[in-house]
Amino acid sequence: MESPPERAPHFRRLEHMYHSAPINQTIPCCMSASEGRAEVHLKVSRDYWHSAHAMHGSMYFKGLDDAAFFAANSVVENVFVLTAKFEVELVGAVTCEAIKAIGHLDRREGRKVWAHSELFNDQDELVARGKGLFIVSDIQLAS
């Protein structure tokens, strides 16, 4: 989906919001947004692994939810969307230290926005899928 040039400032604001969030100061990450799409890159050192020597499920969720969330928020200009429901399907163990999640808008109906995402390891192999329902809130996006 091609992003209209006049919407670019909205996408840059979403990226700034992501990069300035306190949680994202503790996990090396970056996000890019465009119309109906978001891509999240996370560095997941062994500090984020469980005792079976693979990445903890909370990190799968973070990557998948972040990507789907920002794909959903890419089509909502002035307010936050909130994750109302999010489902994760794990399809492979992550034993690398870099992952990528790609989120895509599915549809919007009024205040409800549906989006899905896929998580890939550093070999570009699919390791998880996620899908969610996001609700358009009254919380203003601020600078």
Side-chain angles (χ1 to χ4, degrees):
M1 190 180 296
E2 187 71 25
S3 297
E6 65 274 7
R7 303 240 314 125
H10 172 60
F11 306 136
R12 301 304 78 82
R13 284 190 296 272
L14 291 175
E15 292 163 0
H16 176 73
M17 179 176 75
Y18 181 82
H19 296 118
S20 65
I23 184 69
N24 295 330
Q25 306 305 305
T26 63
I27 301 166
C29 57
C30 64
M31 186 276 295
S32 61
S34 58
E35 190 77 20
R37 187 177 190 281
E39 189 166 315
V40 173
H41 293 262
L42 298 163
K43 293 204 186 281
V44 287
S45 71
R46 293 174 189 264
D47 294 339
Y48 303 105
W49 289 17
H50 52 61
S51 57
H53 309 292
M55 186 176 73
H56 190 273
S58 62
M59 297 305 294
Y60 287 83
F61 178 86
K62 177 167 178 31
L64 290 166
D65 179 61
D66 284 357
F69 171 93
F70 281 98
N73 221 142
S74 74
V75 298
V76 178
E77 284 275 338
N78 299 319
V79 295
F80 278 99
V81 299
L82 302 173
T83 304
K85 177 175 138 179
F86 200 80
E87 182 179 316
V88 173
E89 177 188 2
L90 305 178
V91 297
V94 172
T95 57
C96 60
E97 295 188 11
I99 55 174
K100 169 180 68 177
I102 301 173
H104 298 277
L105 174 72
D106 291 326
R107 70 184 189 280
R108 179 179 181 184
E109 295 175 10
R111 295 179 68 90
K112 296 180 179 178
V113 183
W114 287 266
H116 71 278
S117 52
E118 296 177 315
L119 187 72
F120 300 90
N121 65 15
D122 63 353
Q123 300 296 308
D124 240 9
E125 298 167 325
L126 180 69
V127 293
R129 294 181 192 91
K131 62 181 178 179
L133 168 63
F134 303 87
I135 303 298
V136 177
S137 76
D138 296 325
I139 302 168
Q140 293 292 310
L141 288 175
S143 60

